[in-house]
Amino acid sequence: MSSAAVMFDMEYARWLDEDNKYMAEIQGALQAQVLDANLSTIVEDCMRHHDELFHLRAVLARSDVFHLMTGMWATQSERCFLWMAGFRPSEILKMLIPQLDPSTEQQLLGMCNLQQSSEQAEEALEQGLKQLHQSLADAVGAGPLNDGADVANYTGLMALALDRLDNLESFYREADNLRQQTLHHMRRILTTRQTARCFVSLGEYHRRLRALSSIWASRPRENFMMPENVSSTATEFQAIHHQPQQNQFSGL
């Protein structure tokens, strides 16, 4: 990995440790029914904590966007749910809205509108990224592909591809900007206590995804044995496949 990727992985591990502490602090404050003024301080600290992660990811995108987009910094199960190297804002909102009860009609309307606008922004980013991928494929695959000795042609194609690849960073930074703005908009719509519950729910969601990877890796595994009926069928198929075929025109 690049030095930027190694540094990010270390900082992300530290961020996760601190995030667990914030989640425990928020849960304790909610259970203790602390005053909103005191809870607000914890919530704002948690918001700044997430802003720090977005800053770390922006630095990584400038240095090694491929490490960010492949999701190698996340667990296997988390990578299955990544959207442009992070969470999909509209899906997170869809998950959080049922956790808001009780809530006012105005708050529900605000959250639903935020979800809808997030979906529209996500679709625009997806279309733009799709066009970029096609543009890159066209650049890399342009011209004859069997003229490896043509250094000038190769150099020109790589220069064109690199020029278009520079746009890749901007797409992932825009996706992170959408995620960050979604959290801040949510904070303005909800009360302090509701926001605190959302942060706890968001933290628990990602904690379960990380736990899923550990459970999957440690699950009991039996030695792979082909079922008897499948084994016999495969044997018969192999026998037929290796038999010399009779010439259908042998009678002529």
Side-chain angles (χ1 to χ4, degrees):
M1 292 191 297
S2 66
S3 58
V6 173
M7 181 62 67
F8 175 81
D9 287 358
M10 293 174 57
E11 288 297 311
Y12 182 64
R14 176 192 60 80
W15 186 91
L16 282 178
D17 288 339
E18 293 183 359
D19 191 60
N20 290 332
K21 295 176 182 177
Y22 276 116
M23 293 305 102
E25 186 177 7
I26 291 180
Q27 281 184 315
L30 287 172
Q31 293 173 356
Q33 294 292 317
V34 300
L35 296 176
D36 282 358
N38 296 333
L39 183 61
S40 178
T41 301
I42 304 175
V43 168
E44 294 305 321
D45 287 343
C46 191
M47 185 68 75
R48 282 190 291 269
H49 179 61
H50 280 77
D51 287 340
E52 179 190 0
L53 177 58
F54 290 121
H55 172 71
L56 291 173
R57 289 166 59 88
V59 172
L60 177 62
R62 288 193 295 269
S63 302
D64 189 351
V65 68
F66 290 113
H67 186 69
L68 179 65
M69 64 187 287
T70 56
M72 296 307 295
W73 41 270
T75 60
Q76 292 175 329
S77 55
E78 285 179 294
R79 288 199 292 271
C80 291
F81 294 88
L82 288 181
W83 173 80
M84 296 188 70
F87 64 82
R88 184 186 286 269
S90 62
E91 288 186 355
I92 291 297
L93 290 171
K94 183 178 180 180
M95 177 190 69
L96 292 177
I97 288 175
Q99 310 293 327
L100 298 177
D101 188 44
S103 59
T104 66
E105 182 177 348
Q106 184 177 3
Q107 287 174 331
L108 285 178
L109 180 61
M111 291 291 284
C112 290
N113 287 339
L114 181 58
Q115 180 184 354
Q116 184 178 8
S117 62
S118 296
E119 289 176 348
Q120 294 172 349
E122 290 162 9
E123 183 177 352
L125 281 172
E126 289 170 352
Q127 289 298 321
L129 188 59
K130 181 179 179 180
Q131 293 174 4
L132 176 60
H133 284 171
Q134 185 61 55
S135 176
L136 280 169
D138 292 342
V140 174
L145 294 174
N146 57 355
D147 60 347
D150 190 345
V151 177
N153 180 57
Y154 178 83
T155 303
L157 290 176
M158 290 300 100
L160 178 61
L162 285 174
D163 182 60
R164 296 178 181 180
L165 198 58
D166 284 339
N167 295 321
L168 192 61
E169 172 197 336
S170 64
F171 276 100
Y172 284 89
R173 293 190 66 180
E174 282 295 322
D176 262 4
N177 183 62
L178 177 61
R179 284 183 271 265
Q180 186 176 20
Q181 292 304 314
T182 297
L183 292 180
H184 282 273
H185 281 305
M186 182 184 73
R187 175 70 181 99
R188 289 191 286 269
I189 294 172
L190 304 178
T191 66
T192 297
R193 200 162 296 274
Q194 287 172 327
T195 305
R197 285 160 48 197
C198 283
F199 273 128
V200 170
S201 299
L202 186 60
E204 175 62 16
Y205 171 74
H206 286 103
R207 188 193 69 80
R208 291 180 183 181
L209 282 181
R210 290 190 293 271
L212 186 59
S213 284
S214 299
I215 296 172
W216 174 261
S218 60
R219 74 193 190 283
R221 292 185 178 89
E222 297 181 359
N223 292 331
F224 177 77
M225 296 184 64
M226 187 177 292
E228 183 178 353
N229 59 334
V230 176
S231 179
S232 60
T233 303
T235 303
E236 292 172 2
F237 174 79
Q238 291 175 356
I240 295 173
H241 180 72
H242 288 94
Q243 285 179 357
Q245 293 184 356
Q246 184 179 0
N247 192 332
Q248 60 178 328
F249 300 107
S250 59
L252 297 179

